[in-house]
Amino acid sequence: MQGFFERVKADFDWIKFRVGHKFAFRAPRTVFFEDYRSESDVLKKSVQVNNGAMLKKGVQYNPNSTEQIFYLLLFHEIGHAVLGHKDFLTDVERLKMERAAWEEARKFCKKYDVFYDEDRVEREMDTYRDWLHSRSVCKTCGLTRFQTLDGQYHCPRCNEILGIMGKK
Ligand SMILES: [Zn+2]
Ligand SMILES: [Zn+2]
């Protein structure tokens, strides 16, 4: 029986799968995944967990199992690759890409019979939102700054003050 991961790799044979220190996508077509102590063991378990026949028999599986999370995160990165994502300039753009990649992951989960953990996905989205928020706050005055298309942040208050000072 072919390993589940092997099947996914074969289905996306145009993607380069590489072991990394975290799940990530690098344009145009490299997906990094976290290493496990024993990959063969993960594969064995993943085959069991994702075996539709077993699920139909009512065999319980833990939706938070490592394998389910592994494939959920992997599918997200594959989503970036399939959508042809490139580097983003603005954070809002990034947020849109993340959401789009999760929607792709949803399709793959359905196709491969992997549990699409909505809560987990929303937690991931929250980390991007928190990240975006922390980047947008002005360190000088605490006001929410805006980002221009070149990726630069500008504070409406501090920039205006600088502008006035510059004109003097
Ligand atoms: Zn992503
Ligand atoms: Zn400011």
Side-chain angles (χ1 to χ4, degrees):
M1 194 181 186
Q2 203 190 19
F4 184 70
F5 196 17
E6 295 309 313
R7 182 185 150 200
V8 173
K9 280 188 198 170
D11 288 350
F12 298 96
D13 60 356
W14 52 274
I15 293 177
K16 292 180 200 160
F17 291 93
R18 297 275 181 275
V19 175
H21 64 283
K22 61 173 187 161
F23 284 87
F25 165 69
R26 187 193 289 157
R29 53 196 176 91
T30 306
V31 163
F32 294 93
F33 61 92
E34 275 174 41
D35 198 7
Y36 284 90
R37 248 173 248 166
S38 167
E39 197 182 59
S40 60
D41 201 40
V42 170
L43 291 179
K44 244 188 290 164
K45 279 189 205 157
S46 74
V47 171
Q48 288 170 4
V49 167
N50 295 289
N51 189 323
M54 274 180 76
L55 293 179
K56 274 176 205 139
K57 277 185 213 157
V59 175
Q60 288 292 314
Y61 70 95
N62 177 5
N64 290 317
S65 71
T66 314
E67 296 74 39
Q68 294 286 320
I69 296 296
F70 177 86
Y71 288 108
L72 182 66
L73 299 179
L74 186 76
F75 289 159
H76 170 79
E77 305 307 340
I78 292 175
H80 281 303
V82 166
L83 294 170
H85 284 167
K86 294 181 182 75
D87 291 340
F88 55 92
L89 277 174
T90 68
D91 291 356
V92 172
E93 218 172 39
R94 163 97 196 260
L95 212 59
K96 274 188 203 155
M97 281 185 186
E98 295 304 339
R99 176 56 79 190
W102 281 120
E103 287 310 310
E104 282 303 298
R106 186 198 295 274
K107 290 183 209 163
F108 300 143
C109 280
K110 205 172 169 188
K111 183 182 170 192
Y112 293 100
D113 205 7
V114 168
F115 179 67
Y116 186 78
D117 190 340
E118 300 270 0
D119 294 341
R120 172 75 194 217
V121 169
E122 286 316 307
R123 280 206 299 282
E124 293 286 332
M125 285 303 296
D126 280 345
T127 64
Y128 308 134
R129 289 187 200 106
D130 291 348
W131 169 80
L132 192 145
H133 179 73
S134 71
R135 273 165 60 89
S136 66
V137 169
C138 175
K139 306 266 181 305
T140 308
C141 72
L143 213 69
T144 302
R145 304 181 297 172
F146 62 93
Q147 198 178 26
T148 42
L149 291 172
D150 58 359
Q152 293 294 310
Y153 269 107
H154 308 274
C155 173
R157 185 183 292 158
C158 296
N159 266 56
E160 199 177 322
I161 294 166
L162 281 174
I164 291 163
M165 277 163 48
K167 273 172 204 157
K168 271 186 180 174

